[in-house]
Amino acid sequence: MPSYLEGVWQRGQRTENIYDLFQWWSYQIGAEPKWKDYEPTSPYMREEIRKMDSLFEQVKFLAKSGIETLSQLQTEMKDTESQMAEEIQAREKLRNKLRRASPEEKEHYSKLRDQSTARIQELRKKMKTMTAIEARS
């Protein structure tokens, strides 16, 4: 019996917590597993998994974009930086329009601003991937 269910219920004893009683009976009828197979992942393994995921994202990006040389990567980074700067300026303009807009127009401008923010997030993620690739090269 798991240690957290020890002493939850004994004959002649009144249980105050219905959830504990439910867990105890679930264990007794076999609905609750009688052993624990799960062992948490060690911090070292989690770190290695994060590194592997990062490398996987980098390889996926390189395969998708068809980049083969460092110079191609750097030109792509410059293009992405310029796109991000344009998108940030457009979002600032939308925010200014949003401040001065009537209540009917505010909904429209806020949707456009949210779309612009989503595009900026994608570009930032792309830039982060490219800088990681450049650092590994």
Side-chain angles (χ1 to χ4, degrees):
M1 180 172 293
S3 61
Y4 65 92
L5 293 177
E6 296 285 335
V8 169
W9 184 75
Q10 295 168 354
R11 290 201 189 279
Q13 176 186 358
R14 185 177 183 144
T15 305
E16 298 295 324
N17 192 343
I18 190 73
Y19 181 72
D20 288 342
L21 189 60
F22 171 75
Q23 279 190 324
W24 188 83
W25 279 109
S26 298
Y27 175 79
Q28 291 297 324
I29 63 172
E32 182 99 7
K34 298 192 184 289
W35 58 87
K36 186 175 180 180
D37 288 336
Y38 171 75
E39 287 190 22
T41 311
S42 71
Y44 301 113
M45 183 64 86
R46 283 189 300 235
E47 184 179 343
E48 293 300 318
I49 289 171
R50 278 193 293 273
K51 286 181 186 177
M52 186 181 66
D53 288 341
S54 172
L55 287 173
F56 181 70
E57 286 296 320
Q58 293 172 16
V59 169
K60 242 175 38 175
F61 172 76
L62 289 174
K64 185 176 81 172
S65 61
I67 295 174
E68 294 180 2
T69 62
L70 189 59
S71 61
Q72 289 176 337
L73 180 69
Q74 289 170 344
T75 56
E76 183 70 25
M77 286 176 72
K78 288 178 185 175
D79 292 342
T80 305
E81 284 176 354
S82 64
Q83 287 176 1
M84 196 162 38
E86 291 172 5
E87 201 63 47
I88 289 172
Q89 286 177 350
R91 183 177 63 177
E92 282 299 316
K93 288 182 181 180
L94 286 170
R95 284 180 178 166
N96 290 337
K97 287 180 182 179
L98 187 63
R99 283 189 215 129
R100 297 182 196 96
S102 65
E104 298 85 28
E105 295 173 330
K106 281 189 177 187
E107 185 176 323
H108 173 69
Y109 286 133
S110 65
K111 285 181 184 177
L112 291 176
R113 180 201 58 204
D114 293 343
Q115 291 171 356
S116 180
T117 301
R119 286 191 297 269
I120 290 171
Q121 285 177 346
E122 290 171 6
L123 290 172
R124 284 183 179 153
K125 184 176 180 182
K126 185 177 176 182
M127 277 300 296
K128 183 179 178 184
T129 304
M130 286 190 287
T131 53
I133 292 170
E134 187 179 35
R136 291 186 61 83
S137 298

